[in-house]
Amino acid sequence: MAAPPRPDPTGAPSSAPQPNSSSNNVPPLAQAPEKKNPKQMTKAERRALQEQQRAAKAAAAVNSEKGGVKGGAKGKGGAKVSGAQVGPGSAPVTPRRPAGMGGGAASGDTPSRRESVYGGDDAGSQMHALRIFSHFGLPRPPSSVKGDIHPAIVRLGLQFSRFKITGANARCIATLQAFKTVIQDYTTPPNTTLSRHLMTHLNPQINHLVSARPMAVTMGNAIRQLKLEISDSDIDTPEQDAKDILCHKIDNYIRDRIIFADQVIEDTAGQKIKDGDVILTFARSSVVEKVILNAHNDDKRISVIVVDSRPMLEGKHLLSVLSAANIPCTYLFLPALGSVIGEASTVLLGAHSLHSSGAVYARAGSALVALMARTHNVPVLVCCETYKFAEGVVLDSFTKNELAPAGDLFHLFPSVIPRESLTLESKPNLEILSPLYDLTPPENITAVVTEVGIIPPNSISSIPFTLGRQTI
């Protein structure tokens, strides 16, 4: 394209249109520069050409089915994406979420799950969602799983997804009891054996429970042991006898690894509680509850400080049980921990899982309680059964976690403002995040009380060898 004509030095009017005063500030290269060889262009010319190409690609990408921004968002200065300026000083634009980003289809995310996190396709293109937490297990109803799902498993999946059954021990016992029903109602097809086909029949049941809520370590260890017992079944045993043997082994597992283990932990931890002690605990652990009640039944004069946190408020249930047993209790929320930690004699905590590095995975807030106790030189005892042991090493609670149900966060607030305006729900400009677990490092734990004894955190990896086998 030819260069614009220069004005006549004699002052005669030119036939070519003169540029207005506002266009004098625009760089010449922004006004349709003529095509040149890239080697002959200056650095500014090449940059302007790249910006125009990127803007054209971005416009084509927005109009395509994939959506999102592929190249336009990388432009500098005056690149445009879907009609919105992207550059210094311009308003931020949240593009439509590209496929393959964290929590997308590549990581097992489903459309229903994306809608629950991002508020649907329309809201997801406008809100600034917390994408770095999109891999957390979200509370959701169980999805349809291929295979014949037993009604007992369907009912249990609904209870898990609605948090009607919480706690590692309660979830494991409920799962094993449901599997007993599945096994008793199972019939071996012709030309096959129970030891081979039953595990194939159980896999859809397990997948259904996992779709309702991520599997706990206790459930995984119990299911692994059940599959081992099924594979070791004698093929010559009559079918009903084999099913009765498996159900009997399930009962033995619950009795030995949970019920009897809790009784041993009660006696062992009770020896560390002295008359007149002030015990501090967080949220609610079934084994910690038994330890406190057992110490009270031994005529030890103790008092308990129950620290709780939203949104689940599990400490309220523990408080009601201890108060019914005439145990003096103090109830407070986690932010007030610093005002009472100095009065505690011992801190008793429960655990969701125990890892070979000595770290304890427990209800969110346990790590803060252990840290505060260590700062004030208060011993921290973690009451945990050995079947909660996991060989993997967990460095933080961000890699794998769950989100607790939101619930009504303001039911105790004064009713000056209408309740409808106080209840928090996920909105285009608000994302509720309530992680269910956190990780307590081993340096903040004094000892772990198990049914095989009191173990220091740096010796947790010896639990499988103490039980006489490599895996649990």
Side-chain angles (χ1 to χ4, degrees):
M1 182 177 180
R6 298 181 179 178
D8 192 351
T10 59
S14 174
S15 61
Q18 298 295 328
N20 54 27
S21 58
S22 60
S23 64
N24 293 334
N25 298 326
V26 179
L29 294 176
Q31 303 178 2
E34 64 174 323
K35 296 183 179 179
K36 297 182 181 180
N37 191 331
K39 295 183 179 180
Q40 300 177 352
M41 291 183 177
T42 63
K43 186 176 181 180
E45 292 174 338
R46 288 194 298 268
R47 183 182 298 113
L49 180 61
Q50 291 174 357
E51 291 173 355
Q52 295 175 0
Q53 295 174 348
R54 288 170 180 169
K57 290 181 180 179
V62 170
N63 296 330
S64 64
E65 295 181 355
K66 296 182 179 179
V69 289
K70 295 186 177 180
K74 299 180 181 178
K76 301 179 181 178
K80 291 186 178 181
V81 181
S82 184
Q85 187 77 14
V86 177
S90 59
V93 176
T94 303
R96 189 176 296 277
R97 191 183 186 196
M101 288 186 66
S107 61
D109 201 3
T110 60
S112 61
R113 182 175 180 181
R114 285 195 298 270
E115 290 178 3
S116 63
V117 179
Y118 300 99
D121 292 338
D122 294 335
S125 62
Q126 299 176 2
M127 65 179 294
H128 294 270
L130 299 176
R131 296 176 181 173
I132 60 174
F133 300 106
S134 60
H135 64 285
F136 282 11
L138 302 175
R140 59 191 186 278
S143 59
S144 58
V145 179
K146 295 182 179 179
D148 185 14
I149 308 301
H150 195 277
I153 300 298
V154 175
R155 180 171 59 253
L156 184 61
L158 291 174
Q159 292 174 335
F160 281 174
S161 63
R162 297 173 182 175
F163 284 81
K164 298 296 183 181
I165 299 179
T166 58
N169 289 346
R171 292 177 62 191
C172 182
I173 293 174
T175 301
L176 292 178
Q177 294 291 355
F179 282 158
K180 285 177 58 179
T181 306
V182 174
I183 292 174
Q184 288 294 348
D185 295 343
Y186 165 79
T187 302
T188 306
N191 302 325
T192 185
T193 60
L194 180 142
S195 59
R196 291 188 176 182
H197 187 268
L198 180 56
M199 284 195 291
T200 305
H201 179 68
L202 288 179
N203 287 334
Q205 324 294 327
I206 299 171
N207 294 335
H208 185 79
L209 295 179
V210 174
S211 68
R213 185 179 171 188
M215 183 179 296
V217 172
T218 55
M219 295 170 56
N221 290 337
I223 292 173
R224 193 178 302 112
Q225 184 66 30
L226 176 60
K227 288 186 174 181
L228 181 62
E229 298 292 349
I230 293 174
S231 62
D232 291 342
S233 300
D234 189 358
I235 60 175
D236 296 329
T237 305
E239 178 178 334
Q240 186 59 44
D241 293 343
K243 294 192 292 186
D244 292 340
I245 292 174
L246 288 176
C247 293
H248 181 66
K249 290 182 177 180
I250 290 177
D251 292 334
N252 291 342
Y253 186 91
I254 296 175
R255 181 197 63 190
D256 298 339
R257 304 305 300 277
I258 303 178
I259 298 177
F260 284 176
D262 287 351
Q263 294 177 0
V264 175
I265 293 175
E266 291 175 28
D267 297 335
T268 305
Q271 298 175 3
K272 299 299 180 181
I273 299 176
K274 306 301 180 183
D275 193 29
D277 279 355
V278 178
I279 301 173
L280 187 145
T281 185
F282 175 72
R284 178 182 180 264
S285 169
S286 60
V287 63
V288 170
E289 178 182 308
K290 296 176 182 177
V291 170
I292 297 175
L293 292 176
N294 184 60
H296 177 71
N297 293 333
D298 291 341
D299 296 330
K300 294 180 180 179
R301 294 176 299 173
I302 59 175
S303 60
V304 180
I305 300 175
V306 180
V307 183
D308 207 357
S309 67
R310 297 178 186 273
M312 299 188 67
L313 298 176
E314 295 174 295
K316 283 188 174 182
H317 181 77
L318 176 63
L319 180 67
S320 63
V321 173
L322 299 182
S323 299
N326 296 323
I327 299 177
C329 297
T330 302
Y331 181 81
L332 53 98
F333 285 125
L334 190 60
L337 175 63
S339 61
V340 298
I341 188 63
E343 302 176 5
S345 305
T346 305
V347 173
L348 294 181
L349 298 176
H352 176 78
S353 61
L354 187 63
H355 297 268
S356 58
S357 61
V360 173
Y361 202 61
R363 188 70 77 233
S366 301
L368 178 59
V369 174
L371 177 61
M372 291 288 291
R374 178 194 176 191
T375 304
H376 290 78
N377 297 321
V378 179
V380 178
L381 298 180
V382 176
C383 301
C384 179
E385 303 87 347
T386 55
Y387 89 113
K388 295 181 179 179
F389 177 79
E391 292 185 343
V393 176
V394 179
L395 301 179
D396 53 50
S397 57
F398 175 77
T399 305
K400 182 179 180 181
N401 210 322
E402 295 183 56
L403 290 182
D408 189 357
L409 301 180
F410 296 98
H411 69 282
L412 295 179
F413 278 54
S415 57
V416 178
I417 303 176
R419 291 282 300 277
E420 293 76 11
S421 61
L422 285 176
T423 303
L424 285 179
E425 296 178 356
S426 295
K427 299 177 181 179
N429 59 345
L430 175 64
E431 186 75 14
I432 301 175
L433 183 70
S434 300
L436 198 57
Y437 304 107
D438 63 12
L439 190 74
T440 304
E443 56 268 17
N444 295 339
I445 300 172
T446 305
V448 179
V449 184
T450 68
E451 68 268 25
V452 297
I454 300 178
I455 304 175
N458 55 5
S459 301
I460 295 299
S461 58
S462 63
I463 287 180
F465 299 97
T466 304
L467 297 175
R469 53 185 177 275
Q470 296 293 331
T471 58
I472 295 181

